[in-house]
Amino acid sequence: MNKLALLLGGIALSSLMSVNAQTISSPDGQLTVNLYMSAEGTPMFNVEYANSTVISKSPLGLQTSVGDFTKGLKQDNVSANFEVSQSYDLPNAKKAHIEFKANEQTVSYSKDGKPAFDVTFHVDNNNVAFRYQMKPQRDRLACIVNSEATTFTMPTGTTTFLCPQMTPQTGFARTAPSYETFYEYDANMGTNGHGRGFTFPALFKVNAKNLARVPGKVRKAPKVTEKTLWVMLCETGVDGKYCASRLSCTDNKYSVAYPEETEFGGVGSASPAIMLPGYTPWRTITVGETLAPIAETTIMWDLVKPMYKASQTYKYGRATWSWIIRMDASCNYKEQQEYIDFASKMGYEYVLIDALWDTNIGYEKMEQLVRYAKTKNVGVYLWYNSTGYWNDAPQGPRGKMHRMLERRQEMAWLKKAGVKGLKIDFIGSDKQQTMQMYEDILIDANDYGLEIIYHGCTLPRGWERMYPNFISCEAVRASENFSFGQHDNDIEALAATIHPVLRNAVGNMDFGGSALNKFYAKDNQHGRKRITSDVYALATAVLFQTPVQNFALAPNNLEDAPAWAIDFMKAVPTTWKDVKFIDGYPGKYILLARQATDGKWYVAGVNATSEPLKINVSLPMFEAGQSVQLYLNNDVKTVKVSKKQNIAVAIPSNGGVVIK
Ligand code: CA
């Protein structure tokens, strides 16, 4: 034992003090979860990728109303390895057809001789996921989970890319939290955001110590080399049966934390309640040597199932949206008619009519407007204020969505009027009661053939597959802030470099971008100024993915924007067959490729650094010598892909590139 410990050094010493009970590996053997029991009877796990530790030894366990299952536990059965493989279609997310292979094993834990919980691990080549199944205790068939011991201990030297959780009941009309703070880039560990942790998804750059050892074998002198690994933490499968979670940080330990009591106006419990036996959502860890496995992951959907059948084939597409440039005052009949005509000229499928239509247009005139839109082949989305009793947001229509009776009456009218979808705003809470409301609205909406976009809201956690009429969530510091203040415009490109490899990697994102106005004002001559280029606007139409895009274009762009930009925006798709990460570093630049459902590839990139970014863009999706359209430097031209399948470009600061 002593000789062995000396050979392995300090890192391995701690693992020898507890029993290594189990290893669960990915199909290619690169990614492994190792399970241990601490001396106090706490189940522990770590995660290794290619012999490097990416999650150091961390606890598992649940603290519940029917007992403390964080210590005094014993590991019982370990199931045989179960190879899962699946293929499924997902037309409303980043990849239309998904295939995966993974290994699954379930480990059972007991306390005082009675079953406590099972943990099922799902490990594919780049993702680890696990969830608890809490067991009935004596005659108790329900319990409250007061807290979760689940922690992700990050190795020393890790840097972070995190979005701090907002303070509940703050912001506009007490509508927070809604995942709308600024990211921090390459920040050191140890802070807890603004004091209340961080939202999912969370990105880490691990400077991993590669121990150069073969599992199960001890080498004489392990050669320690350093390498960078990217790790994303998230969760999926959250519905009305549980709350959504966030991460709370102490030093290098990121623990799963539940909502705060004050969320949702203080209404409803912060702790989830479950029927026994019952599951927690899946906790997910995505690991890669580059950001590709994160940008391309489908783990959010691999682990969930559709919860009901689509009542019809839902249609996706592009929308015009007056509010982003012209704000509340534009939600009148005349200007909405103008935006319907604009949508028709662009060949767009939808118009989104935002807040206050109920008073500025009215229900009767709205029926007339929807009929008018139909003659132009434009479908109508209507905005709703979700609340309710949990904030003071005054915009109407309000009080129509939070209770089943009013909601179904309203949806019956919407269906009769021919409305296609709703954008429902101001639902800032992650409590179980709120999750139930998100779900109930989606279920009712499906009965009436309505698509749903949520705003001022939580992150979707597997919802693209769970709810077939779900379109997207905001859950990002989105385009509205370009209208609200200049600072967001000044750093617009910065945020665009992280979304495709973080927020948008785990779920559809209603950003509402791609403005071609110079200013966020109806006259396009004053107010908040856009500092990004027109090619940048095109690039984000590809980088930011959601099946119904509410673009920030304005009717005047038909005259004042370059023709090549308008032509591009007329043709840009919103549903995709595939996604490939090409290059990038969050906070600096991003290059990503999406394949449209017709097979055509769109490569898009933006540069947030202060200097032009000279880069040889690797284009394996195009053939050598193939002619492609290159959008760069306020122009478009036809160029040929080189023999080595690349194109050299210099992307301007705050500018973009598109190759198609
Ligand atoms: Ca918002």
Side-chain angles (χ1 to χ4, degrees), residues 233-513:
L233 303 179
C234 199
E235 62 171 344
T236 191
V238 181
D239 57 22
K241 293 195 286 298
Y242 219 81
C243 64
S245 301
R246 69 201 143 93
L247 290 171
S248 182
C249 174
T250 311
D251 303 323
N252 62 336
K253 294 176 170 60
Y254 292 82
S255 301
V256 171
Y258 294 155
E260 295 182 81
E261 289 292 349
T262 46
E263 289 180 25
F264 213 47
V267 178
S269 173
S271 310
I274 51 174
M275 208 167 90
L276 299 177
Y279 290 103
T280 66
W282 292 94
R283 314 297 173 208
T284 67
I285 306 161
T286 305
V287 184
E289 290 179 58
T290 70
L291 288 159
I294 291 171
E296 298 164 18
T297 188
T298 58
I299 192 69
M300 302 297 285
W301 308 294
D302 296 347
L303 296 164
V304 301
K305 287 275 186 302
M307 296 181 67
Y308 50 80
K309 243 176 104 73
S311 64
Q312 60 201 278
T313 304
Y314 287 103
K315 188 176 147 190
Y316 311 116
R318 299 75 46 88
T320 58
W321 174 39
S322 74
W323 185 90
I324 186 62
I325 302 289
R326 302 188 184 180
M327 308 254 89
D328 287 355
S330 69
C331 293
N332 59 70
Y333 196 96
K334 193 166 158 275
E335 281 178 270
Q336 292 314 312
Q337 199 168 30
E338 187 189 348
Y339 267 75
I340 289 164
D341 293 342
F342 177 42
S344 168
K345 283 175 195 158
M346 292 297 292
Y348 282 8
E349 292 75 9
Y350 294 111
V351 65
L352 166 59
I353 303 178
D354 218 285
L356 303 170
W357 61 264
D358 59 327
T359 42
N360 293 351
I361 296 172
Y363 280 70
E364 226 171 277
K365 292 282 272 180
M366 182 54 80
E367 289 179 13
Q368 193 184 318
L369 194 57
V370 175
R371 279 197 300 272
Y372 175 77
K374 203 177 173 206
T375 67
K376 298 271 174 180
N377 272 325
V378 176
V380 174
Y381 259 72
L382 290 183
W383 184 94
Y384 276 83
N385 182 341
S386 68
T387 200
Y389 44 74
W390 50 90
N391 64 49
D392 312 313
Q395 293 93 335
R398 55 192 289 266
K400 307 269 191 186
M401 283 296 142
H402 69 295
R403 291 181 70 246
M404 192 190 208
L405 180 68
E406 291 89 343
R407 181 168 62 231
R408 291 186 71 92
Q409 284 171 349
E410 190 77 359
M411 287 179 173
W413 172 78
L414 288 160
K415 186 183 179 179
K416 190 174 125 259
V419 172
K420 299 296 180 197
L422 308 181
K423 170 184 170 178
I424 305 177
D425 211 339
F426 305 134
I427 327 177
S429 159
D430 288 339
K431 285 181 176 176
Q432 183 174 8
Q433 181 167 339
T434 325
M435 293 299 128
Q436 186 65 59
M437 197 182 74
Y438 283 113
E439 176 173 276
D440 290 347
I441 291 173
L442 283 157
I443 293 167
D444 283 343
N446 184 54
D447 287 348
Y448 295 96
L450 296 164
E451 300 177 351
I452 297 293
I453 295 173
Y454 286 118
H455 245 244
C457 59
T458 195
L459 176 82
R461 290 156 162 95
W463 294 3
E464 292 80 357
R465 192 174 182 201
M466 290 158 70
Y467 310 113
N469 55 327
F470 171 76
I471 297 298
S472 63
C473 282
E474 186 184 30
V476 64
R477 198 172 170 88
S479 65
E480 60 194 19
N481 294 287
F482 302 143
S483 276
F484 297 155
Q486 187 58 40
H487 179 66
D488 281 85
N489 288 284
D490 296 342
I491 61 160
E492 181 180 356
L494 184 73
T497 63
I498 197 167
H499 295 326
V501 293
L502 193 54
R503 163 65 186 85
N504 212 179
V506 301
N508 297 348
M509 180 174 84
D510 189 51
F511 190 87

Side-chain angles (χ1 to χ4, degrees), residues 126-254:
N126 291 97
N127 301 275
V128 171
F130 59 89
R131 68 172 175 176
Y132 300 85
Q133 190 197 37
M134 186 65 207
K135 301 293 183 187
Q137 299 299 311
R138 300 173 303 277
D139 56 349
R140 303 289 289 275
L141 294 178
C143 82
I144 292 166
V145 184
N146 295 314
S147 64
E148 189 168 326
T150 311
T151 296
F152 306 94
T153 307
M154 304 311 295
T156 318
T158 296
T159 59
T160 70
F161 302 75
L162 301 170
C163 185
Q165 170 75 344
M166 300 165 87
T167 306
Q169 297 286 288
T170 61
F172 172 71
R174 297 194 293 127
T175 54
S178 49
Y179 296 68
E180 292 179 77
T181 55
F182 295 107
Y183 279 93
E184 293 173 55
Y185 301 83
D186 248 334
N188 290 326
M189 297 188 289
T191 70
N192 193 32
H194 304 157
R196 12 186 56 90
F198 301 98
T199 57
F200 282 125
L203 182 65
F204 300 85
K205 193 179 112 189
V206 178
N207 296 309
K209 302 259 184 300
N210 190 326
L211 300 176
R213 68 183 158 80
V214 180
K217 289 183 185 171
V218 179
R219 286 190 182 180
K220 272 190 178 172
K223 198 177 147 204
V224 179
T225 54
E226 293 244 351
K227 79 166 152 193
T228 296
L229 290 166
W230 294 92
V231 178
M232 178 175 69
L233 303 179
C234 199
E235 62 171 344
T236 191
V238 181
D239 57 22
K241 293 195 286 298
Y242 219 81
C243 64
S245 301
R246 69 201 143 93
L247 290 171
S248 182
C249 174
T250 311
D251 303 323
N252 62 336
K253 294 176 170 60
Y254 292 82

